[in-house]
Amino acid sequence: MKFSEQWLRDWVSPALATQALADQITMAGLEVDAVEPVAAAFEGVVVAEVVAREQHPDADKLNVCRVDDGSGEMVQVVCGAPNVAAGQKVAFARVGAVLPGDFRIGKAKLRGVESRGMICSASELGLEEETSHGILELPADAPAGESFRAFMGLDDHTIEVDLTPNRGDCLSVKGMAREVGVLNRLAVTGPEITPVAPTHDETFPVRVEDAERCPRYIGRLIKGVDVTAETPLWMVERLRRSGIRAIDPVVDVTNYVMLELGQPLHAFDRANLHGAVIVRLAREGERLVLLDGQEITLTDATLVIADERGPLAIAGVMGGEHSGVAAETRDIFLESAFFSPLAVAGQARSYGLHTDASHRFERGVDPLLAREAAERATALLLEITGGEPGPLIEAVSAEQLPGERQVHLRAARLEQALDKALPADEVTEILGRLGMAVETTAEGWLAWAPSWRFDIAIEEDLIEEVARIHGYNRLPVRRPAARLSLRPDREARTPLGRLRRQLVARGYQEAVTYSFVSPELQQALLPEAVSPALANPISSDLSVMRASLVPGLVRALQYNLNRQQTRVRLFETGLVFRGELDDLHQTPMLGALVCGTREPEGWAGGKDRVDFFDLKGDLESLLAMGGDPDAWRFEPGEHSALHPGQCARILHRGEEAGWIGTLHPAVRAQLGLKVDALLFEVRLDALTQGRVPAFTPLSRYPEVRRDLAFLVDESLPVQALLDTIHGQAGEWLVESRLFDVYQGRGVPEGRKSVALGLTWQHPSRTLNDDEINQLVDAIVAESRQHLGAELRG
């Protein structure tokens, strides 16, 4: 919200300097983002009158003017502006004047004719950013000789306030003036607004079909307006200082009233309305060309203003091009309505729009303001464009309008929250100055929120209001005291931070991607995944909740590969969302993705590419951190996104906990990836579970080791052989190590040689050969019977 300081001071003017006023507004919870002068610095410019204008004798595009600058003598000036004319009041820079950009005015000769001074355009004075097409024309009653800065009130500042969404009541000069008045205990005096007496009885019918979304609609037919009239300079300036460009008097008046009072208005060309004005929901497939020229297809959830032929505007957002005011317009239908915030919220964004009107209606407009704004706009229109006003017509559904909100404030709760006891009279006064009706009760106060304060609904809202008006800087500063106890450290749990640091130590970088992904990408990777679609997505390629971390990591991989990063090692932790909204499961996961070479580029590093076992080793380093590696198993499996021959299910204590593998070639081709990528994804709750480490006494007796090489079927997982060995090796087996897998000469086709080192140790005596041989025989017999394994000769 931008507004002119002078405009605000017309309503309420505390005895504060500009910066002090901005600081006071900020301390009241309405953060001031910027305070800037409304015009660049210049001097020596006065109001003057062009007394005569003649054609330059030697230049077709130059004029020789005689100017009365109030000094008592006429000044000759050569001017090239096409719109200069005798009788005009203009901004005149005298000889010696300094314009913005340190441009000094001196005497000059243009094509042989002396020129003493310069008739200025708005851009030359820093009042417009773009180059002006002609000189700046001033009102006819501007006094010649008066300082131009003083006449225009340019010793002014634009104050820009960054309002939170709950303070829509301050999106106007009136709202800001209310706040400043409350803070300084000053009366607020705005322009007097009286009902405009109609001069004809003609009305235009209005029909509201959705009173829940539009409980109040006010309209007025004004006939015979002159749209070609000039908007007064004072209004143009106030609009400019609020960041709005003047267009035509009708649009300027509606914008002005919106800035002044906070009520968005719209004017329709009466000649383009047919039958009646209807407030209804759009019908699916209806189309509308907006004022900015954009053609949109409306959805059946959009509230529109329509006539018998079709939509005229999106209610509370933007009008249509064909029903808007044009140069040929003679009669207008002025609209002033209250739309429910929920009816407008999200509608502008769903069509890629954001307007001043939608910004206000989404946050809430005073439901009692529509009539006052219509009367104010009518009076200004009659003053500027002329015309004949008709009677106001109103369609209202009282039961759908926001009702009175009664809020209790307890004195004890207020003192507890502020850590300060305020006098009861002061609290009553603050609430009263805020526009609330207040009644004292035994416990505190009962307040009725004013119609413009949508954000006051509960006791904490009143506490906030009392605190900020009393002054946050006047509240005591005390450190909270609390009895704190140490939280128990769950030794069996691996903190997430340790898992992150472990991956970083192994060369990974943490990625943080959106929880939303492209539906096409998720479909390509996880065709059977079900996750909620967003009703109001950031963009079309971020429109569904992720069912896995894999789509986000793959997208990050694509981003890095497109920027010549050939070695990528990423990991991410976060929630994934599976199921429909009514049965949604949110699961914390950890995922990682690698591609490129095994080692970073360097003179001592090889160029071998990372493979399945490299990634599996990184994952196993995480599993080992829980102190219970035996709880984890890897089994062959199939996954839609992973290569069938290079994919494994990850099991934790017999339950599926994740997947690891190489990205499927078909999926990789579909995504346009030219390199292999390997990835895993594991449930975080399983990763962080472990067991408390316990000491095992060291045996003083010697170890006994036997190396066994089995010939097994090449498709047999080594884990199956290890499970069989552990089942027969007895309680004194302290280590089993796989040290060789071989296929080739000496090994039958379809078989492989698996060599294992088995180590036994007894805690209290020396094991003899007979005991070890019995255990080895049992292992060999069991492996032969159940796995078809034979000892290799």
Side-chain angles (χ1 to χ4, degrees), residues 710-781:
F710 289 96
L711 290 175
V712 297
D713 190 85
E714 64 179 356
S715 62
L716 181 73
V718 173
Q719 186 65 51
L721 184 60
L722 289 172
D723 290 343
T724 300
I725 290 172
H726 292 159
Q728 299 297 321
E731 59 181 315
W732 304 319
L733 182 72
V734 294
E735 184 181 31
S736 58
R737 185 181 297 276
L738 171 67
F739 64 85
D740 184 50
V741 177
Y742 172 73
Q743 284 180 282
R745 186 174 179 181
V747 175
E749 187 175 352
R751 306 277 278 179
K752 62 183 176 183
S753 170
V754 177
L756 299 160
L758 306 179
T759 302
W760 287 269
Q761 187 178 34
H762 199 283
S764 58
R765 64 181 177 86
T766 299
L767 294 171
N768 57 50
D769 287 343
D770 290 340
E771 292 174 312
I772 299 301
N773 290 338
Q774 288 178 9
L775 294 173
V776 169
D777 291 342
I779 289 170
V780 171

Side-chain angles (χ1 to χ4, degrees), residues 257-339:
V257 174
M258 177 184 69
L259 292 172
E260 183 180 62
L261 303 180
Q263 171 69 51
L265 304 167
H266 188 66
F268 297 98
D269 187 337
R270 166 64 181 83
N272 295 323
L273 301 181
H274 303 277
V277 168
I278 307 167
V279 185
R280 61 172 172 83
L281 288 175
R283 301 182 181 99
E284 192 70 40
E286 283 187 319
R287 302 184 68 80
L288 176 64
V289 179
L290 299 173
L291 284 172
D292 61 3
Q294 176 186 355
E295 184 175 8
I296 60 172
T297 301
L298 300 167
T299 66
D300 58 7
T302 303
L303 188 69
V304 297
I305 311 299
D307 64 6
E308 300 293 353
R309 292 189 176 183
L312 304 171
I314 301 178
V317 179
M318 185 181 287
E321 182 178 58
H322 301 307
S323 61
V325 174
E328 304 79 24
T329 301
R330 291 295 172 264
D331 304 333
I332 64 170
F333 180 76
L334 183 65
E335 168 194 281
S336 180
F338 171 73
F339 299 111

Side-chain angles (χ1 to χ4, degrees), residues 530-593:
V530 176
S531 63
L534 302 180
N536 190 20
I538 299 173
S539 63
S540 59
D541 60 344
L542 294 172
S543 59
V544 297
M545 303 295 289
R546 65 186 180 194
S548 166
L549 298 177
V550 173
L553 289 171
V554 168
R555 185 169 180 174
L557 171 65
Q558 291 174 315
Y559 184 90
N560 281 273
L561 292 176
N562 290 340
R563 285 153 182 79
Q564 293 79 48
Q565 301 300 312
T566 57
R567 185 175 186 270
V568 179
R569 301 170 76 84
L570 299 173
F571 78 94
E572 181 175 16
T573 61
L575 291 174
V576 301
F577 308 87
R578 295 168 180 154
E580 299 293 352
L581 278 176
D582 55 355
D583 186 29
L584 185 63
H585 299 277
Q586 303 181 52
T587 309
M589 304 289 286
L590 183 146
L593 181 148

